[in-house]
């Protein structure tokens, strides 16, 4: 029943934009901290952006000024707006929900071509 479903990944040229969505079900969405993480091949999963229940946000230094995380509690959805994409942003992007426990989505692939 608890499920996070990511969408919006795909292929984009460097300098372009992409918007990822994560739809949550089976949780009281409004009280959860939501996050986006990414994992490139052969690398550890890393935090990209996070938004708390009160709307406060934090970002990895590598994406500050380019990515924006937001949430729509009425739609149980968190978004990641990605602008000025770079090839280094290529990764599988995962949605995460955390309260006093944690759930992960299956991921969506973002590929940025040079």
């Amino acid at each position: 029943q608890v499920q996070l479903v990511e969408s919006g990944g795909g292929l984009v040229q460097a300098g372009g934009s992409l918007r990822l969505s994560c739809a949550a079900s089976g949780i009281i969405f409004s009280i959860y901290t939501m996050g986006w993480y990414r994992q490139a091949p052969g690398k550890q999963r890393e935090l990209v952006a996070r938004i708390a229940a009160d709307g406060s946000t934090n970002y990895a230094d590598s994406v500050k000024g380019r990515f924006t995380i937001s949430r729509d509690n009425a739609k149980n959805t968190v978004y990641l707006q990605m602008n000025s994409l770079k090839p280094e942003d290529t990764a599988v992007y995962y949605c995460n929900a955390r309260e006093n426990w944690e759930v992960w989505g299956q991921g969506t692939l973002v590929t940025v071509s040079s």
Side-chain angles (χ1 to χ4, degrees), residues 2 4 32 37 96-104:
V2 177
L4 303 177
Y32 276 74
Y37 293 72
N96 171 270
R98 188 186 77 243
E99 205 267 325
N100 56 11
W101 61 285
E102 189 172 60
V103 63
W104 292 89

Side-chain angles (χ1 to χ4, degrees), residues 2-7 21-25 27 34-37 39 45 78 92-98 102-108:
V2 177
Q3 191 174 24
L4 303 177
V5 180
E6 301 99 333
S7 62
S21 299
C22 172
S25 61
I27 62 172
M34 302 298 299
W36 287 98
Y37 293 72
Q39 188 168 24
R45 189 172 299 185
V78 63
V92 177
Y93 284 71
Y94 296 91
C95 184
N96 171 270
R98 188 186 77 243
E102 189 172 60
V103 63
W104 292 89
Q106 295 300 306
T108 185

Side-chain angles (χ1 to χ4, degrees), residues 19-72:
R19 191 191 196 199
L20 305 183
S21 299
C22 172
S25 61
I27 62 172
I28 306 174
F29 181 84
S30 61
I31 70 171
Y32 276 74
T33 293
M34 302 298 299
W36 287 98
Y37 293 72
R38 67 187 181 188
Q39 188 168 24
K43 295 186 177 180
Q44 296 282 346
R45 189 172 299 185
E46 64 175 350
L47 175 68
V48 177
R50 188 162 52 207
I51 183 166
D54 66 1
S56 61
T57 60
N58 63 291
Y59 298 88
D61 288 342
S62 59
V63 307
K64 286 181 180 177
R66 299 189 298 120
F67 291 10
T68 302
I69 189 170
S70 61
R71 65 193 296 159
D72 186 340

